[in-house]
Amino acid sequence: MDIWETLYEKAQSLYHPEEVSPFIYAHHVVCALEAEDGQIFTGFCIESCCGVMDLCAERVAALHMYINSGQTVVKRAITFRDQPPSNADGVSGMPCGACREFFYQLDERNEEMEIMTDYARRETVTLKELLPNWWGKERYAAAGK
């Protein structure tokens, strides 16, 4: 079993879309991240009517990583709904813009994280490829990071 299969299975176990209440829907998008030290952290999307409480699966997984291990660097990430990402089938596994920004702000080294785009073919893209001219580089440089 390769790391991508492990990540897929960990995330897939969280997939069970449900209405938490008449206002909140959850578990319809899932994610698994491999941290810098090899630990795996998972998360699921949760959306509410008010919007400001919405959290994507990627940010929930990253927050679990940070809360439970203090780590900020992600090596690999897979995100999906009812089936793994597939370029051939048009099933996206791309993190949204807010999640892309969050990963960069969490740690500049996340620009090298691999994001699964086609599970069957094991095709990935890096965060840096998705945001090649990220605005925050100067702030990291000024902070000496």
Side-chain angles (χ1 to χ4, degrees):
M1 178 181 306
D2 71 3
I3 186 62
W4 291 111
E5 189 173 352
T6 301
L7 290 169
Y8 174 77
E9 288 181 1
K10 295 274 188 185
Q12 199 277 331
S13 71
L14 297 177
Y15 183 79
H16 55 91
E18 66 178 338
E19 288 187 13
V20 177
S21 76
F23 307 97
I24 298 176
Y25 189 61
H27 292 274
H28 54 292
V29 178
V30 294
C31 176
L33 307 174
E34 179 188 11
E36 186 174 39
D37 73 353
Q39 289 186 71
I40 296 172
F41 297 91
T42 59
F44 57 86
C45 183
I46 185 164
E47 296 178 352
S48 67
C49 290
C50 69
V52 296
M53 293 175 34
D54 296 353
L55 281 173
C56 295
E58 296 94 332
R59 282 180 280 156
V60 171
L63 289 170
H64 280 151
M65 178 182 72
Y66 179 70
I67 290 166
N68 291 300
S69 73
Q71 295 181 83
T72 58
V73 177
V74 177
K75 287 169 47 175
R76 295 177 184 89
I78 186 170
T79 304
F80 55 93
R81 289 180 183 267
D82 59 337
Q83 57 185 304
S86 169
N87 289 331
D89 298 328
V91 179
S92 177
M94 284 292 151
C96 71
C99 288
R100 295 174 195 192
E101 182 67 27
F102 179 79
F103 282 123
Y104 247 126
Q105 289 186 24
L106 187 60
D107 197 301
E108 182 181 23
R109 294 172 290 174
N110 284 333
E111 71 183 6
E112 299 303 326
M113 70 184 277
E114 291 181 86
I115 301 164
M116 177 58 63
T117 59
D118 193 305
Y119 180 73
R121 297 179 184 158
R122 298 303 194 260
E123 293 175 0
T124 63
V125 65
T126 65
L127 184 60
K128 186 175 185 172
E129 290 173 304
L130 295 175
L131 293 173
N133 298 306
W134 183 62
W135 68 272
K137 292 273 188 188
E138 292 175 8
R139 188 178 289 188
Y140 269 121
K145 299 230 176 206

